[in-house]
Amino acid sequence: MLAIATTLVLATPPATASGPVILKVAIVQQIDSMNPFLAVFQSSTEVGRLMYDYLTAYAADDQRVTEGIANRWEPSADKLTWTFTVPQGKKWSDGQPITAADVAFTYNLMLTNEVARTANGSFVSNFESVTATDDRTVVIRTKAPQVTMLALDIPIVPKHVWEKVSNIKDYANDQMPVVGSGPFVLTEHAAGQFIKLKANKDYWRGAPKYDELHFVYFQNADAAVQALAKGEVDLVNRMAPAQFDSLDGKDGVTRNRAQGRRFTELLINPGAQTKAGEPIGDGNPALKDVRVRRAIAQAIDLDALVARVSLGYAEKGSGLVPPVFGKWHWQPDDKTLRKFDPAAANAALDAAGFPRRADGTRFGLRLVGRAGRAYDEQASEYLKRSMSDIGIPLDVQLVSDNQLNEVTTAATYDLAFSGWATNVDPDFILGLHTCAQRPGADGKGGTTDAYFCDQAYDELYARQLSEFDEAKRVEIVKQMQARFYDQVPAVVLAYENALEGYRSDHFAKFTTQPAQG
């Protein structure tokens, strides 16, 4: 997620502007899907946020809940029934009115179609029913009280378009211009080259202040930053530290550094399984032993990674929620902290029944990361040295975005770099680690992060979902993060700073979200 708000605002048009005003944004991550029910890559979901509104939204200045598709909402006394009002006047980009039927159709499609739950299924898993009682009113009934009813980050789709789709799994959503409700309309997409959107002049919040938004592909962030320096693009985000530093003092470029909403992690295949408990993938069996996973984590110097790979532009990892969301963020105390200690890691591996062989090694592991991403390239070299110290040689494989996604989805990895952007409410990132988020037998129907399935964690997840006392919910959420940390299906390595830059000689100002920090 950009620290600069997704709905970018041009404060003052360029004085020399003639013809359409076009904002060009660099992109280095491939698109996994333009279908909002399937898209999980940051690149895809960012574009989706521009195309489709959610039922409610977050204000840019302080991230409070604000109007989205709905402008009013009311829970019942028992919190089992929520009534949302969709006001008159909002339209799809093809001119059709947005109604409660669109909202009900979207949620009911997810309730009845397992594939439609792929990207965001955890949001509706507790729904009992969704009904449009008239054009303006949506009634959602839940099986148990659900505290996240104002944080349902699900793109609402137009019923009159999607009711004609017979196969969600194979639907590319590429009939241009794509009908949406957001501030921009997708008009062109050439895979690996560009994505072009035009401003929705009838957008209910008001037309965007520029006419077109182009995402321009680059092979890596170095090339993107060079294009920004030359004025070939207007905005770059998720820069590497060295790239960010290279723009210091550059004429016409303004930089932005903020606490990030993302974490970078090292997945450790814990013995991946489907929802039915059938083994999937080919992870090293040694990693099923939590003692081995803990030893691997103990051999990683997180402080050194922040200093040497992130050059200080990050915070050391711990829980699943980054420090930018302060009340939800968890840090281990002295009793639970896993201190960097290679000697203790070696002893733990010996005790677990994995002694060193004559050549000094115990067993080898594959480490998969993304080619062209500076962090993966540099951190993999560091991890090779760290794992060598405990007798585990690494075979590093750096591949494309889509190849990395295929490997982690099929669980054909031992270790893998991954990362997620978190939402204002922590439910989504927590939900990725429930047993229900594992895929079906065909590899579809869920979006799991680390193939984690733990009864204690799942019980805590259900409790936090129904806890309306915020202080109590915060404590449960922290207990969940502590459990994840203890069981180590992944090591949260760092919370990266959001490092961004834009051509301030082309665009005067962008909104930051939140306004402070």
Side-chain angles (χ1 to χ4, degrees), residues 74-75 79-84 138-140 146 149-150 468:
E74 183 69 35
K79 299 292 196 298
L80 291 173
T81 302
W82 287 73
T83 303
F84 293 86
V138 179
V139 178
I140 302 176
Q146 181 168 330
M149 293 301 292
L150 300 183
F468 281 79

Side-chain angles (χ1 to χ4, degrees), residues 321 328 426 430 464 473-481:
V321 182
W328 304 110
L430 299 173
Q464 68 83 30
R473 185 177 178 227
V474 165
E475 180 56 33
I476 298 170
V477 166
K478 290 184 176 180
Q479 290 177 38
M480 294 177 67
Q481 295 177 80

Side-chain angles (χ1 to χ4, degrees), residues 42-376:
Q42 183 193 14
S43 53
S44 311
T45 55
E46 288 291 351
V47 174
R49 287 173 184 266
L50 299 168
M51 296 166 58
Y52 300 101
D53 279 336
Y54 301 162
L55 192 60
T56 57
Y58 304 110
D61 55 354
D62 61 3
Q63 304 191 130
R64 70 191 183 280
V65 176
T66 189
E67 179 177 359
I69 292 290
N71 68 342
R72 296 200 310 273
W73 41 85
E74 183 69 35
S76 62
D78 61 6
K79 299 292 196 298
L80 291 173
T81 302
W82 287 73
T83 303
F84 293 86
T85 300
V86 179
Q88 288 185 325
K90 295 179 181 179
K91 297 180 180 179
W92 296 104
S93 55
D94 63 357
Q96 293 286 328
I98 299 173
T99 72
D102 298 302
V103 179
F105 171 83
T106 300
Y107 294 156
N108 281 315
L109 181 62
M110 296 175 69
L111 289 173
T112 58
N113 187 312
E114 185 178 27
V115 174
R117 295 194 292 273
T118 298
N120 296 302
S122 63
F123 287 121
V124 301
S125 61
N126 182 48
F127 283 16
E128 182 71 46
S129 65
V130 183
T131 307
T133 58
D134 57 44
D135 283 351
R136 307 270 68 89
T137 309
V138 179
V139 178
I140 302 176
R141 292 185 173 85
T142 59
K143 301 170 187 175
Q146 181 168 330
V147 73
T148 60
M149 293 301 292
L150 300 183
L152 302 173
D153 291 350
I154 297 171
I156 302 300
V157 300
K159 177 182 178 182
H160 65 282
V161 173
W162 283 82
E163 65 184 354
K164 301 172 186 175
V165 177
S166 59
N167 189 337
I168 297 293
K169 182 171 66 174
D170 297 329
Y171 186 63
N173 196 30
D174 58 358
Q175 299 300 307
M176 310 293 177
V178 177
V179 178
S181 59
F184 289 90
V185 178
L186 178 63
T187 56
E188 294 183 70
H189 177 208
Q193 298 180 50
F194 60 79
I195 303 167
K196 294 184 178 181
L197 303 99
K198 289 188 177 181
N200 181 357
K201 299 298 184 182
D202 296 322
Y203 185 50
W204 62 272
R205 292 187 192 273
K209 299 299 194 298
Y210 44 93
D211 303 300
E212 297 183 24
L213 172 58
H214 295 179
F215 290 94
V216 184
Y217 277 96
F218 292 90
Q219 287 294 319
N220 52 56
D222 277 333
V225 171
Q226 291 171 15
L228 180 71
K230 296 175 183 177
E232 296 170 355
V233 296
D234 304 303
L235 188 148
V236 176
N237 72 85
R238 293 193 68 190
M239 284 186 270
Q243 298 160 351
F244 186 75
D245 287 343
S246 73
L247 295 174
D248 187 19
K250 178 70 177 178
D251 288 344
V253 174
T254 294
R255 302 183 305 163
N256 182 55
R257 175 187 179 183
Q259 275 191 311
R261 299 175 61 162
R262 294 188 62 84
F263 62 82
T264 295
E265 64 182 340
L266 179 70
L267 303 179
I268 306 176
N269 192 328
Q273 297 179 341
T274 66
K275 289 179 184 176
E278 295 296 323
I280 185 173
D282 61 0
N284 190 310
L287 300 178
K288 295 179 182 179
D289 191 328
V290 70
R291 296 172 297 176
V292 173
R293 301 199 299 272
R294 288 171 182 156
I296 289 172
Q298 195 166 26
I300 302 173
D301 188 343
L302 299 182
D303 289 308
L305 277 175
V306 168
R308 299 172 190 172
V309 177
S310 301
L311 303 184
Y313 289 112
E315 297 170 77
K316 182 169 67 173
S318 55
L320 292 166
V321 182
V324 69
F325 301 117
K327 64 187 175 186
W328 304 110
H329 175 62
W330 173 82
Q331 286 277 12
D333 56 25
D334 290 340
K335 292 182 179 180
T336 55
L337 177 64
R338 191 166 46 231
K339 296 180 181 178
F340 170 59
D341 191 338
N346 272 303
L349 289 169
D350 290 339
F354 296 97
R356 288 183 185 265
R357 296 175 293 207
D359 63 359
T361 66
R362 305 175 191 274
F363 51 82
L365 295 176
R366 300 159 298 171
L367 169 60
V368 187
R370 203 190 90 186
R373 183 171 186 248
Y375 187 94
D376 293 19

Side-chain angles (χ1 to χ4, degrees), residues 379-431:
S380 62
E381 290 302 311
Y382 173 82
L383 289 175
K384 282 178 69 173
R385 294 190 295 270
S386 300
M387 294 302 103
S388 176
D389 290 342
I390 59 173
I392 301 177
L394 293 186
D395 174 17
V396 176
Q397 305 164 13
L398 298 179
V399 299
S400 71
D401 290 316
N402 286 332
Q403 287 174 308
L404 180 59
N405 186 51
E406 290 170 3
V407 166
T408 52
T409 299
T412 52
Y413 68 92
D414 299 321
L415 308 176
F417 287 114
S418 184
W420 289 85
T422 53
N423 298 337
V424 175
D425 187 280
D427 178 73
F428 178 78
I429 199 66
L430 299 173

